Structures are given as C-alpha cells and as structure tokens.
Amino acid sequence: LLSRVLRYNSAGKKNIFLKKLTYIFFVIYRFIEFFRYKNNIVKFNSIIAGNDILLYDVHVQNFNFERSVIALFIYKFSMPHGIDISKNQNKKMVKNKDFDLNLTVYLFSNLQYSKYINKYGINEGNITVCGIPRHESEWVSIIKNNSNKINLPFKNYETVVIFSSPYTESNSYLPINKKQEIIKDIKKTVIDILGMKVVIKIHPKEGLEGVYEEVFGLDQYGSTWVYSDLHQFALAADKKLAITMWSGVCFDMIKIGVPCIEYVDLRTVKGFNDYDKNGEKVSPFVYFGLAIGVRNHNEFLCQVKKILKMADGGSAVPIDNYERYIVSNNDASSKIALDILSKTA
C-alpha cells in the first residue's frame, strides 16, 4: 500500500510540493528501515569461503559495488539476467579491461553470442549456448500447478497482463510522456472499450513513477486494475493477451502459449537499427517475430481484436520463431550445474 501511495504522489508535474514531500518521506522511511534491519546486515567477505561459487550476469561488472563483490570469488560463472538480442551484434564494441576473459558464460540464444565476444571480450571457447533454464517443462509445470493454489487477481474475468518497463530519457524509446500515452491507450482499449481487467507487473527498476495510478485511477484499484508481483507464468497462464513495452518477457509468453503485443514507437528514435518489412524501425523482439509490434491506437486496437477473435489465442504465438532462435533444452539447468561442478571440483 505504501509503495502504491508513493508512486501515485510522485506522478507527473501537477504538484511539485507533494512530489518533494513524498521524496523526503521516502528517504526517512528507508533510513528507519536501515536501522530496523542493520543487525541483519553482513559483510560478504566475512561469509565467503575460498571454494564458494558465484553465478552472476557479467553485465553488472560495469557497476562499482558489484565489482567489489565479484572480486571476492575465485570461481565465477555468468548467465544473462535478461534476453538481449539484436541482428547488429557483430560490430566491435569497447571491451572493459576489468572483464575476466576466461569467464565461463552460459547463454540462452545464438543471437547473444557475438555480443559477449565483442563487448565483454569473452573467449569464444568459454561460451555455451544452452537454452533458457526457466523454460524447462518441469519448471513451467511446477509454477502453473502451484499457481492454482494462489488467489490470482481477476481469476474469473477476461484479463490482460501488462509487463511494464521503466520510463527512459526524453530522447530514448520510452520517455514518460510516451509511456503515459501508451497506458492511456491501453485503458481506453482494454478497459473502456472491451470491458476487460488489467493486471500489471512492475519492472524491478521502475521506481516511483505513479503513471498507472494517474491514468487508471487509484479509486479503481482492485476493480478494473491491480498490481501483482507473481511469476509471469502464473500471471499470464490461460490469458488471451500480454502487453510489453520492450521486454524479453515475450519469450516467456511464447513458452506458455500467450500472444504478446509490444507497444512502443521507435520510428523517430535514434540508435536503433532493426527495420520491419516496411522499412520502419522496430525492436529486435519484433524484428525476429517474437512479439507483435504496434505503435499507435489504431494498430493496437486492430491487433487486440484480431487476437481475441481467434478461437485459440495460441495460434498467434510464434513458436516456430522461438525454436529458430532459442536452443530447446529440457535439461539446461542440469547441464549448467554439472558443468560448473566439473570446473570447480
């Protein structure tokens, strides 16, 4: 409840005083929380033994705090925390001298291969493309079966799930004003026109934006829309549709048979070099046919209606494209675990 109030009061530019007051309150709250839990804080170097193993994403080695923690480990292995793909990853990038060139890296897709060689300087022989461990059939079944025991939001209603993204800088793909327009259109189309409910899963980096409270209305919370931090396999299971704003979650949606619309307009944004058949800029997820790209209200409404009219929404799921780019492996986690053990024994 506190986080919702903070997000709502931080939204927009309507009340600068209220925004500043909210920020001060939040800082005080975090300060109190620190002293409340300070006795539970431990220093990494006091608990890490010489034979401990670190599995992390080499990307975070760009950040000072993470570098200090990573340096404590002898045995280090890397796996992406997200799926970053592009057809333009063959170009040379600046290599960080702090990266361990002998680091063993486990990737989800061949489309990530060049990036880890060119950007992070990883030796080609140390890279293994093994698929997505969380997409193993056993794990997906566990999540779905346990989800039946949970009181899922709007379980008995036609529902759309939004996998949200944090807003970006003004010259990038999702500035706050564009994000507000997208959310307004989702409300108009999904709630007002089609009478469906909306469940929103916030991105971990999204912060205190308050955009959803402002657009959907705090007074309608629990009636037409709601937040949830449940696993995406639980939230989207048996749903007709999921919506993203540039996210690798589209891979998860394909795996569970849910059509995914990506709502973002890149046509005037610099720095993106993937183009659709009409010569328009699109995200790599749309370029590779893993999500349905829309840029405006007409396109969005058209695609939503098209999906809802299908007798089986799964027919809009590009499973062939998934299998073309992702290694299908039902024992990826076992393969990775055994490889790590063999290298540290």
Side-chain angles (χ1 to χ4, degrees):
L1 178 61
L2 174 63
S3 63
R4 288 182 207 141
V5 172
L6 288 172
R7 273 198 296 265
Y8 182 67
N9 287 339
S10 298
K13 301 179 180 179
K14 295 185 296 185
N15 194 325
I16 301 299
F17 172 77
L18 190 57
K19 287 184 69 174
K20 290 182 177 179
L21 187 63
T22 300
Y23 177 76
I24 293 171
F25 176 74
F26 182 69
V27 170
I28 295 173
Y29 168 75
R30 294 298 296 269
F31 189 71
I32 293 172
E33 288 291 283
F34 170 78
F35 280 97
R36 182 181 175 187
Y37 295 107
K38 69 176 183 177
N39 292 330
N40 297 328
I41 298 175
V42 294
K43 293 184 177 180
F44 279 108
N45 56 4
S46 68
I47 61 173
I48 294 172
N51 60 348
D52 284 339
I53 298 168
L54 176 65
L55 180 62
Y56 73 112
D57 185 351
V58 68
H59 170 73
V60 304
Q61 206 159 320
N62 288 309
F63 308 109
N64 292 329
F65 171 76
E66 284 79 358
R67 275 206 300 269
S68 65
V69 173
I70 293 166
L72 299 174
F73 290 84
I74 297 174
Y75 298 117
K76 298 185 282 283
F77 301 84
S78 176
M79 181 186 297
H81 72 281
I83 306 178
D84 180 19
I85 61 172
S86 175
K87 70 180 179 66
N88 294 304
Q89 290 184 355
N90 289 320
K91 63 181 181 181
K92 293 295 180 182
M93 305 179 188
V94 177
K95 296 179 182 179
N96 190 321
K97 60 182 176 59
D98 294 327
F99 291 141
D100 183 355
L101 304 187
N102 294 313
L103 180 72
T104 298
V105 176
Y106 306 104
L107 299 181
F108 303 148
S109 169
N110 288 318
L111 294 174
Q112 299 173 302
Y113 199 86
S114 297
K115 175 180 179 179
Y116 279 76
I117 294 174
N118 295 327
K119 182 174 183 178
Y120 303 121
I122 306 298
N123 290 329
E124 189 172 346
N126 289 1
I127 297 176
T128 300
V129 180
C130 55
I132 306 175
R134 68 174 181 268
H135 286 185
E136 293 179 26
S137 299
E138 183 180 0
W139 176 245
V140 175
S141 297
I142 289 172
I143 294 293
K144 285 188 173 183
N145 292 337
N146 282 282
S147 299
N148 294 329
K149 305 171 186 177
I150 301 172
N151 186 22
L152 294 169
F154 304 134
K155 192 170 185 178
N156 298 318
Y157 294 88
E158 290 286 318
T159 308
V160 169
V161 182
I162 299 175
F163 293 100
S164 192
S165 295
Y167 70 83
T168 60
E169 297 175 355
S170 59
N171 62 343
S172 191
Y173 68 93
L174 194 64
I176 188 65
N177 62 315
K178 279 192 176 182
K179 183 172 180 178
Q180 287 173 325
E181 291 174 6
I182 291 170
I183 296 169
K184 286 178 181 178
D185 193 22
I186 292 173
K187 177 183 180 296
K188 178 181 178 181
T189 302
V190 176
I191 296 178
D192 298 342
I193 297 177
L194 299 174
M196 301 174 74
K197 309 292 186 181
V198 173
V199 177
I200 303 160
K201 184 175 175 69
I202 294 294
H203 190 279
K205 295 182 180 179
E206 201 147 350
L208 309 175
E209 295 181 4
V211 183
Y212 291 102
E213 288 82 356
E214 183 176 331
V215 174
F216 288 153
L218 200 58
D219 59 325
Q220 292 298 309
Y221 187 85
S223 176
T224 60
W225 70 283
V226 71
Y227 287 117
S228 178
D229 59 0
L230 293 176
H231 194 281
Q232 51 265 37
F233 290 163
L235 283 181
D238 302 320
K239 298 295 187 295
K240 299 279 186 167
L241 174 66
I243 302 170
T244 65
M245 304 167 196
W246 186 299
S247 171
V249 171
C250 61
F251 285 93
D252 296 328
M253 296 301 99
I254 295 172
K255 188 63 181 179
I256 62 173
V258 176
C260 183
I261 289 179
E262 181 184 88
Y263 199 149
V264 64
D265 188 353
L266 301 176
R267 287 175 293 185
T268 60
V269 183
K270 296 180 180 179
F272 296 95
N273 300 303
D274 293 327
Y275 297 87
D276 63 14
K277 61 183 180 182
N278 297 317
E280 302 283 7
K281 288 184 181 180
V282 294
S283 79
F285 305 114
V286 174
Y287 175 82
F288 287 111
L290 300 161
I292 303 167
V294 300
R295 306 178 182 92
N296 54 52
H297 170 73
N298 290 336
E299 292 180 0
F300 180 59
L301 180 60
C302 176
Q303 291 297 339
V304 171
K305 287 185 173 181
K306 183 178 178 181
I307 291 171
L308 294 179
K309 283 181 180 179
M310 293 180 180
D312 175 13
S315 58
V317 178
I319 188 65
D320 291 344
N321 291 339
Y322 174 95
E323 293 175 346
R324 184 177 296 119
Y325 302 119
I326 299 293
V327 174
S328 183
N329 193 345
N330 253 335
D331 62 349
S333 56
S334 297
K335 182 178 179 180
I336 292 169
L338 290 172
D339 190 59
I340 290 174
L341 289 175
S342 71
K343 287 179 168 63
T344 58

